[in-house]
Amino acid sequence: MLMGQRSGCQEKSKKLELALSETMKAEAKIQNNEEEAEELKAKDQRLASVFGVADLKNGAIGLYNVGQSCCLNSLLQVFFMNIHFTGILRRITVPPCAMQKRRNVPYQMLLLLEKMQCGKQKAVSPIDLACCLSAYRVKLFVQHDAAQLFLNLWNLVKKQMKKPELVEELSNLYTICVQEHLACQKCSLETKRNSNMLTLPLPVLDSNSRALRTLEKCLQYFFHPEELTDHNMCFCEQCGRKTPFLQSMKLVHLPQTLTIHLKRFCFEESAYIHKLSHYLPFPQDLDFNAVLTENQCQADDSEKPPVQDGLSEQQTYCLAHVTSPRRRKSIPGSFPCSGVCCRAKAAWQYELFAVIAHSGSTSCGHYCAYIRSLTECKWYCFNDSEVCQVSWDDVKCTYGHSNLHWGETAYLLIYMKKHPQ
Amino acid sequence: MAQWQEVQNLANAYLEQVHQLYAGSALPMAVRQCLAAWIESQNWRQAAEPLSSHARMLFHSLLALLDEHLGSLGMGNEDFMLKHNLRKARRDLQAEFEECPDNLANLVANLLQEERQILRLGQAGGEGGAAPAPSTPPESNREQQIQRRLAEFHAALQEAERAFRHLEDMQDAFDFCFKLHYRPGEDRTNDPQYTQQIQALQAKLQILDRQRREVLAQMQQLLGRSETLRDFLQQELEAWQERQQRACLGAPVDTRLQPLETWFTELGQGLFQLLQLLRALGDLRQKVSYERDPLKAETPLLERRLLELLTYLLRRAFVVEQQPSMPNACKRPLVLRTTSKFSARARLLVRLHDRNHRMEAKIHIDRDPPKIKGFRKFNILTSSSKTLLAGDCPQEGLVCDFQYLTLKEQKDSRSGKGSKGVGEGPLVVTEELHLITFTLAYAYCGLQLELETSTLPFVIISNNNQLSSAWASILWFNMLSCDPKEQQFFSAPPPAPWPRLAEVLSWQFESVAERGLSKDHLLMLAEKLFGSKASPESTVAWPKFSKDGAAGFSFWAWLDGILGLLQEHLKQLWKAGLILGFVSRKQEKKLLKGKRTGTFLIRFSESVLGGVTCTWVEHPESGPPAFRAVVPYTTAELESLALPDIIRDYQLLVEENIPENPLQFLYPNIPRDEAFGPYYSQRQEANLMEQKKYLNRRLIRVSSRQANESWQTEEELVATTENLEMLQLQPSGLGTQEPGGLASLQHGSSGTLQPRGLGTLQVTSGNLGTLQPSSPGTVQVVATNLGMLQVTSGNLGMLQVVAGSPGTMQPGVSVMQQPGSQVLDPPQLLQVGSGVSELLQPGIRDLKPQLVLQVVPEGQGMLQVGPGAMEPQLVLQLVSEGQGLLQVGSENLGTMQPVAGDTGMLQVGPENLGTMQPVAGDTGMLQVGSENLGTMQPVAGDTGCLQVGPENLGTMQPVAGDTGMLQVGSENLGTMQPVAGDTGMLQVGPENLGTMQPVAGDTGVLQPVPGAVELLPVPEGQGTLLVPEEQGTLPPELRDLEPLPGSLDVQELLQSLENVLQPRSGTLETLEAAELMPDMLEARDGRLEGLDPGLAGSAALLNPRDPFLPQPEDTALPTVSSLFTTDFPPLHIDASDFQ
């Protein structure tokens, strides 16, 4: 088994050698001589028989901070540790000329990934990628907001990928599809709109500015129908005037990699932004069916959710659903379920994959990433160039603390869909 | 350097991995072995960085060290192979890495890392192998985790420090080059050498920048991990606090702080070290800084985060180690009594301090008092601040130990009296919770903090009798409150879930008697609380627990009574599980039904506060099994006789039957003596050998019952067994000689029987046991000849003279009955019929008026009339002759007329006696208690005896009689005129005797009581003053007293006596006291040590509450009346007296 970053290193790097022959030459400078590399590979294989881990180092490589790049580093680590993402990234086409290569974000990311996987240092410098990004208004030496940067980065990757099938795969991997319902309270008019999101921006306070207790509560609050009254009223075409509306949100599709954005940075009436560092626990395993109501989980229209591979085989889970009390209540007696709902339900079980934590205040702070290796199932903490193996207890420290405002608090949570077995 | 050693200690499977690791490695294991320490102390990772010159330096050092090592090896053959290997290795290394020392650095770094990995696996595996993983308890797991993490933290810290030193060196090098080469003013762009230098400088700066970022990343990582540690420690601390709270309730938990202190100190130390490192980093920035210097942006952030963490850690580390408690009430802390001392201790778990800084700890009580009306305010009387001393031995830690604290209530001037009036506040005193807050001014390494911590809420009482309910409050609070500072908890106390309460109650028993409550016990308690519908979801409301109670006491008061009983008397039995304890009656019957006759169990009474009883089963020949139980024993009874002894000797008196012990087998089926054998008290036969004149005796409990009683329910049972339980005094000699000669004292009253000669029983008070005030006992003089019973001390209950000839009973000042004066006929059975004697229960106050007591003819019946409540209409008629004795308690007695009889004796208690006329009789004896006696005229009789108690005797005129005897108690005697008689005897008590005129008579005896001096003025010329035989204890002055002339005025005599006594012994009262100690017999025997005037300790004998003493400070208390009143504390009797 392999670490995320190292996934396919041996087999695929051979395939890539054709495509990347040029870059490999460039990397040769950094690399040690061929002999040693081979020797190390041989050693890898030897050790693999002992450890079951084809990895000489502690499994993960750090990224040097090149000047306020902790945010970028954390995000990159989350991308690179995601074998679903690297699987896509490795299939990109290499831009023909050097200039394009320098300006191509996916390519630079791939280069960096290769550098991390082939290098023998504890960390590598992402300076090339950072320079490349700065060409797209992602400035260097500036403290970024991780959620914002994630969006920018993802968009850049998506845009610069040439192959449409890769683009679709990438979208499927990350995009959340929700359906917004707007129902006029005066007449029966109901409008629905599907929209795609890259992250679920969850508020951590309720409407009365009280702290929500858990991530599940945040989710429930986010999907809770909201009445739009008074100056929030909308214009109803049917009634011909502004009427109170009921706004609600339903889930249509959840991706393989689900990113949750905890809105810990609170904009109050003034321009002053402050950080909410209160305690907010999040689970390692998240089951949307248990958290949300049936109604919220299931878009009721016929709009087809993006089809995913292998969903059909999940129909075997129907019976399991019928026997659950929740299910029995909603469909009394009627046995065979539609399949779509069941597919969705079985697929909406997630486990935590990564946490991007922020420490410090809004004006100055530091990001680090806790990532659970998908192959080893071990947690690592990436603090720029420092990487160490940690435990779930360490990750729990990012729940936050109402008395400690400078400590690490989770900001982005990345959940990975559990594969039904 | 430890790493290689640890690697070598690994288990074989892991060692194999190490061998594989080095098998193909360019670095042979031999080199690793001989340079282990050096290799491990170098920063290979750093050196492996590109563009680093460090790698080359390390490479050459390695070769040099190898050479050195080779040189140091001896010429001997034993090292031959090693030398060969090393030499080869050196050659290979040089050949391989000469060109690229970076590779060597990288190689070594990877090897070291790999070793660590194997080590980690190996050690984890080793631990797992040693103890099967699932069975390890989570606590110890957590402990291990904390320890491991602390070790990792310190290792990482050292790593960071090493990186910092490297950074320092690097910066110095750069700084030097920079100052040397950089010439910004000059334009030397054309100088290629200069350009090269500038480029080199630039490269150096790059490396410096990277190193700075590296150090910063390391610190970020360190801080992140320390946050986890902080969380762990906090959880441990919270667990400890919970444990402490439960320990306060009596739970058997470990409340040691030592591991926590070690961990907190270690983490604190690490964090302070990190702080210094950060500050040093800041200093580096002062020397060299550049654009986008990472130190500039990140060190302040790190420092703030670190300071916040440290502050938080220190605040949490200040804990109350010992909750406030009074020294003698360790098992019930958090209940404090005003004016009693208590102590409390706080500890700072982070054992770091600045020796130059004086840390002052202060305590405050109720710093933020709750807004409750009537909330009492207190001051701490003793010093409330203390300097925290470093302590000479560091293991003691930073402790502020406040001992000898006392509280005093603040008097509120507005409301006049500060004490809380009824209904003034919403909370009763025992529900009022107070807090003590400790504050500590802490300073260390430039960090200044004011730390504070609070105790758990406690209850302040002013009287010991509030202790029980105060403890109930503490239990309730600590069991249910989620906020340890919630002082208003009792404004709305939540109900307690039964399982939780059951656990806490069990702890109470565990802490008192080392055995908790079993499931069955709890089941019974639950049924008692909830009836049959008890379930784990049941809850108990606070009032139901502590206030309401159908039986007149609350559930808690009942339990606490049992706890008290256990604590004092039944600890061993409870611990051994011999007491079944909590058994409902239904259950009890169910248990006993199938057992053989005589199977018994011990349970706690549900109707009596703090009582324990035995129930046994009897299977009659026909009919259902009967269940019997004795009236519960309480502390009062168990004080004199322990429960095992009661069980051993318990007797049931059945009519026309030999007394038997019905308690044979302890439930389920253990023979009595087998179960209780170890707990029987040893009889001290040897002691008794000293006093051979006394016969052996022992104390047992008896019950009696009528033949045809049916005991179906407990209520009936209680009623019928009211008389059941008795204490039997069995003078063994007498008992065997004269069957039926039993004297019984009931209800906790116990006494000594001193058979003197032929059946005279004297219960004197020195040896007499306690006569409990509340329970009027029965004294049964069953049968005896010439029985004389003298009960001297206070509070005698009922006396029943059932049968027997001249039983004499004398309460009050002991009277010597001269055996000669009772020359009586052969025993005639006196029959004070049972009906009559029952009416003569003085302790019972509701004696009805219009009562006529008739002591039926012939005999020495005795009547005792209790205090107070006797209605004036009572007429007592000692109808006819014989040695009847009449005792009248106190006040309001009507007329008494001992009409006739030979040796009739009349005893009058205190106050307000009407006229008394012992009309006739030969040896009629009259005893007058205290004050306000009217006129008395023992008119006739030969040996009429008159005893007058203290105070205010009116006129007395023992008119005639030959051997009339007059005893005057104490003070204020009026005139006395023993008019005639041959052997008239006059006993005068202490002081203020009025005039006495033994007018005539041949051998009139005058006894002034004090000082054991018996004055026996013989008026007829041959007057003699008889000094008692035992003179040894008398003051010498008294011994020298000359016999006075017979015609000497008695008053003069007394005066002179007083003059003699006073200057020497200070007060006459001392002597009085001594004499008035009821133990007259002993005094005569010269055993009364108090008489020695040299001993000021004579006062020790002066029992201020002795009813016979005049009580100058307490005039309201009639001196003799106290003999009969019931509100005196019991005389304490040592159990050994009964051996």
Side-chain angles (χ1 to χ4, degrees), chain A residues 32 39 51 56 64-65 120 122 141 359 370 381 383 386 391 394 397 401 404-406 408, chain B residues 17 24 49 103 106 114 149 213-214 218 220-221 225 227-228 230 232 292 304-305 308 312:
Chain A
N32 297 303
E39 192 188 322
F51 293 131
L56 251 187
Y64 280 108
N65 189 324
K120 285 167 193 67
K122 63 179 247 186
F141 312 116
S359 59
Y370 292 88
C381 177
N383 239 315
E386 280 292 313
S391 71
D394 295 274
C397 275
H401 198 298
L404 292 165
H405 306 292
W406 292 81
E408 286 171 3
Chain B
Q17 294 178 18
E49 295 294 311
N103 287 355
N106 203 14
E114 205 51 47
R149 277 177 183 269
R213 291 181 193 283
E214 177 108 35
Q218 264 178 319
Q220 294 279 10
Q221 194 70 283
R225 299 296 67 75
E227 279 179 11
T228 315
R230 173 210 71 204
F232 280 3
R292 298 191 202 100
R304 287 179 84 160
R305 194 172 150 192
E308 189 186 57
Y312 183 79

Side-chain angles (χ1 to χ4, degrees), chain A residues 15 32 41 50 81 94 99 110 135 141 177 193 239 243 279 293 295 308 355 411:
Chain A
K15 261 188 255 164
N32 297 303
K41 264 178 197 168
V50 182
M81 291 291 280
V94 178
M99 179 63 184
L110 185 58
F141 312 116
C177 187
R193 191 169 49 130
C239 303
T243 56
Y279 183 76
T293 65
N295 194 26
Q308 279 189 296
V355 175
Y411 184 54

Side-chain angles (χ1 to χ4, degrees), chain B residues 878-941:
Chain B
L878 267 181
V879 177
S880 71
E881 63 208 340
Q883 292 80 13
L885 186 139
L886 183 66
Q887 271 188 331
V888 183
S890 65
E891 35 184 359
N892 305 325
L893 188 68
T895 316
M896 281 183 83
Q897 291 178 319
V899 177
D902 284 342
T903 52
M905 180 170 164
L906 181 68
Q907 275 188 333
V908 185
E911 303 195 83
N912 303 328
L913 187 69
T915 315
M916 279 185 84
Q917 291 177 321
V919 176
D922 283 341
T923 53
M925 181 170 164
L926 182 68
Q927 273 189 334
V928 183
S930 69
E931 40 183 0
N932 304 326
L933 188 69
T935 315
M936 277 185 85
Q937 291 178 321
V939 176

Side-chain angles (χ1 to χ4, degrees), chain B residues 19 41 52-53 65 195 203 208 224 283 334 410 492 648 833 885 1005 1019:
Chain B
H19 283 297
S41 61
S52 171
S53 57
L65 280 166
T195 320
L208 184 68
D283 290 344
L334 298 171
Q410 280 179 24
R648 176 185 56 185
L885 186 139
V1005 179

